[in-house]
Every structure is written in structure tokens, then in C-alpha cells.
Amino acid sequence: MKILAAAAVLMLLPATGFAQTASPAPAARPASPTTGSATGGAAATLPNTFDAPASVPAAAPRAPRTAAPAAPAVVGPVAPRDPAEIALSETALRTTIAAIQTGAPNYAEMTPGVATRLRGQIPTITPLITGFGALKSIEYVGQEDEAELFVVVFDKAATQWIIARDEAGKIAALLFRPVAAAESAS
């Protein structure tokens, strides 16, 4: 069940980057300036890429080394958020969890990317979150990557939820994960 939860969580994260993929090759390629071949397998050709360089470029003069600024000894917590913003995030989280448990999330309250990912995951996530039981409590814990982190306790499970809202107040990121055993015992 934890693997399923982890998979569901990963699908709700905003996609910040994907592996590079090659596009289909065009029908006819011009001959490469270095190889003269029109059928090379390289994504791009640069003069002297693998050939011996025509000339060695002169090295740019180096700037004198200066000591890097010292890192703070202890990294402190992120500055506290506005309580009104936290309350709005908690309300959005409560309504979203309730809507997911019924199988009918309000996609209009989400950014298009989150809504699209949730639509694809709702058949898997709804039974999982419904299986957690009734929502008992939501407690604000702090921030994680500029998003609000809440501990949400259900009848049968304790979870952590991360929610971020954009400037318009729409849910821009939403994920959940089980609370570690040590955390749930405290």
C-alpha cells in the first residue's frame, strides 16, 4: 500500500523536467560540415567536435580567487507564513480531501497541470484516501519548498500533505505521503 501511495504522490507533483527525447529525423538532411555525411546519428554537429581542433583557443585570464562567503552554521526555518495564507491552504486542503474521498474533486480549484494529473490518478487515489477513514485533524507543520506542510490524521492513517497555491489561489501542487512511524508515535 505504501508503494501505491508513493506512486500516487509522484504523479501529483508538478513536472519540472523530463528526460530528453529525440524528435523524429527529418526526411532529408544537409551534409555535415565536418563529416560530409548526410546520415550521421548525432543530434547536432559542431565543427571540430571530435576532430583535432583547428587551433587551441587562448585561455581567458583567471580572476583572483576570493574566499567564498561562509555558510551559516545552522540553517534556520523559513520565515513564518501569514496566518491568513495558512488558513486558506488548510481550507483548500480540507475541501480537496473531502472531494477526493467522494471521487469528485473540484478541478476548477486547481491549476490545469494538477487537474490533469489528478484526473488520471483519481481511480487509484480515491479508494486509498477513502480507506484512511474519516478525517480527524489537520495540523500545520511548516513549509517545504515554499509549499505548506500539514499533518493530516484520519481514523486509520496519519499522513503528511503538501499543498501549494498559485497567485490566483488555485492548487499548484498537491501530494501526500505516510507519516514516518517515529513521527506518528510522538
Side-chain angles (χ1 to χ4, degrees):
M1 186 154 144
K2 287 183 181 181
I3 293 173
L4 181 60
V9 168
L10 292 175
M11 293 307 295
L12 291 177
L13 290 175
T16 56
F18 292 97
Q20 294 180 357
T21 57
S23 59
R29 284 190 184 159
S32 165
T34 55
T35 64
S37 169
T39 61
T45 56
L46 299 173
N48 299 319
T49 302
F50 295 105
D51 299 335
S55 65
V56 177
R62 288 189 167 196
R65 287 190 170 212
T66 58
V74 176
V75 177
V78 176
R81 295 281 292 194
D82 177 16
E85 289 294 318
I86 295 169
L88 289 171
S89 291
E90 181 179 340
T91 300
L93 183 57
R94 266 184 205 281
T95 57
T96 301
I97 289 172
I100 290 172
Q101 285 182 322
T102 64
N106 185 354
Y107 299 111
E109 293 178 357
M110 302 170 194
T111 60
V114 171
T116 299
R117 284 193 270 321
L118 186 59
R119 273 188 191 98
Q121 293 296 314
I122 204 69
T124 305
I125 294 172
T126 297
L128 180 66
I129 296 174
T130 302
F132 292 162
L135 192 145
K136 292 171 100 178
S137 66
I138 296 181
E139 179 185 349
Y140 176 72
V141 176
Q143 281 186 278
E144 187 168 303
D145 296 328
E146 298 186 28
E148 313 307 335
L149 175 63
F150 292 91
V151 170
V152 180
V153 178
F154 297 90
D155 281 334
K156 300 175 186 171
T159 56
Q160 290 180 335
W161 288 73
I162 296 174
I163 184 170
R165 295 178 303 112
D166 66 7
E167 299 80 28
K170 292 188 175 212
I171 298 171
L174 179 68
L175 64 98
F176 67 97
R177 60 188 175 210
V179 172
E183 292 179 45
S184 61
S186 57

